[in-house]
Amino acid sequence: MFIASYNPKSIGDVLVVVLRPDTIQQKSEKKGNVVRIFDAESNTTLGYNFFGISTVLADLQGHGEEQLNQEQVDKLNKLLEENDFDPELILDANPKFVVGYVESMKEHPDSDHLHITKVKVDNDQELQIVCGAPNIDEGQKVVVAKVGAMMPNGAMIFPGKLRGVESMGMICSARELELPNAPQKRGILVLPETDAFEVGKEFNFVKGAELFVNKV
C-alpha cells in the first residue's frame, strides 16, 4: 500500500505517506524533517511524515492525494537514507479506482442486509468485497475503490472485515465518488454498458461526471 497526501492549507508543508493501517499501539520517531510512525509491538512501519517537503518535491499539487511518480519516490527514499531510515518506499502505480464486474453474490451469514460479492477488477484479479447497498446484484458493472485508494472525502480504503468476513475494497456509490448531481440516496453506482467504462480499466472520473449531467 502506498498513499501520499499533501494539503498545505490544512496541515502545512507536510507530505503524509501511509503504508499500512493504524494499529492499537503505535509510536513515532523523528530524525531531521522526517517522522516515522510504526507499530509499537512489531516495529512495522505504518507511514511517514515529511516536513518541509516543498524543498524536496517542488511540483506537488497540494489538494489532497498526490499521485507520485517513480522519480519523486526515489527522492523520498534518498531523504529517508539521509536521515538514517530504511529506504523502504515502493511505488504502487496500479489504478485504485477501477471498473469492476460483479461475478457472484451471496448473503452474509451474520447479516440481513450485507452481501458477499466476488468482483473482477484489473489484471484478471478477483476481489471479495462485502457490500450493503440495496441495489447490488450479479452481472453489474461497478466502480471499485481498491485497497490503497483515497476517497474524495479523504477516507482511505484498507483491508477489513465486516462481521467476520474479509472485504478487500469498496463498491462505490456516485455520491461517495462525489460525481456532479449524484443521487443523494443509498445504492451503488451501476455503470452503463458503454465503451467508456470497460471492465478492468481505470475508472474515468471525467466520463463519470457526465452520467448525471442532465439530472438534478
Side-chain angles (χ1 to χ4, degrees):
M1 178 185 297
F2 185 99
I3 301 175
S5 179
Y6 182 63
N7 195 336
K9 290 184 178 180
S10 297
I11 62 173
D13 190 17
V14 184
L15 181 71
V16 177
V17 175
V18 178
L19 303 179
R20 296 173 181 85
D22 288 340
T23 57
I24 297 176
Q25 294 185 345
Q26 55 190 51
K27 294 183 177 180
S28 64
E29 56 179 332
K30 186 176 188 296
K31 298 178 183 178
N33 282 338
V34 181
V35 174
R36 173 180 175 255
I37 299 95
F38 59 96
D39 178 69
E41 183 175 346
S42 67
N43 197 38
T44 302
T45 302
L46 305 178
Y48 288 95
N49 293 337
F50 295 90
F51 289 83
I53 192 61
S54 61
T55 62
V56 179
L57 303 180
D59 51 353
L60 297 176
Q61 299 300 308
H63 301 298
E65 185 176 15
E66 294 283 343
Q67 301 296 335
L68 301 184
N69 57 40
Q70 189 60 59
E71 181 181 359
Q72 291 171 313
V73 173
D74 289 343
K75 289 182 179 180
L76 293 178
N77 275 323
K78 182 179 179 181
L79 187 60
L80 289 176
E81 284 188 297
E82 291 173 349
N83 287 279
D84 295 323
F85 288 115
D86 292 333
E88 59 179 315
L89 301 183
I90 300 175
L91 179 65
D92 180 3
N94 290 319
K96 295 298 179 293
F97 293 91
V98 300
V99 178
Y101 180 79
V102 183
E103 296 187 318
S104 67
M105 182 182 76
K106 64 181 181 180
E107 302 298 319
H108 192 293
D110 190 33
S111 172
D112 59 0
H113 71 282
L114 295 176
H115 299 87
I116 303 171
T117 68
K118 298 289 187 180
V119 186
K120 181 180 179 180
V121 289
D122 55 323
N123 299 319
D124 292 324
Q125 186 180 18
E126 184 183 77
L127 300 179
Q128 177 172 286
I129 301 176
V130 178
C131 179
N135 63 328
I136 186 70
D137 204 352
E138 294 180 355
Q140 294 173 333
K141 284 204 298 185
V142 297
V143 181
V144 175
K146 297 167 57 181
V147 168
M150 177 180 282
M151 300 300 294
N153 67 359
M156 300 180 190
I157 304 300
F158 295 117
K161 289 185 178 181
L162 289 176
R163 295 202 176 183
V165 175
E166 185 178 83
S167 185
M168 300 298 292
M170 184 174 76
I171 301 174
C172 303
S173 69
R175 179 176 57 181
E176 290 165 333
L177 296 169
E178 296 189 0
L179 299 181
N181 298 323
Q184 298 300 301
K185 60 182 181 180
R186 291 187 63 218
I188 51 102
L189 172 62
V190 180
L191 295 170
E193 292 294 334
T194 67
D195 293 338
F197 306 111
E198 183 180 346
V199 174
K201 299 297 184 181
E202 184 173 8
F203 175 65
N204 188 326
F205 275 86
V206 174
K207 291 294 184 182
E210 300 173 359
L211 290 173
F212 306 98
V213 68
N214 296 320
K215 299 180 180 182
V216 295

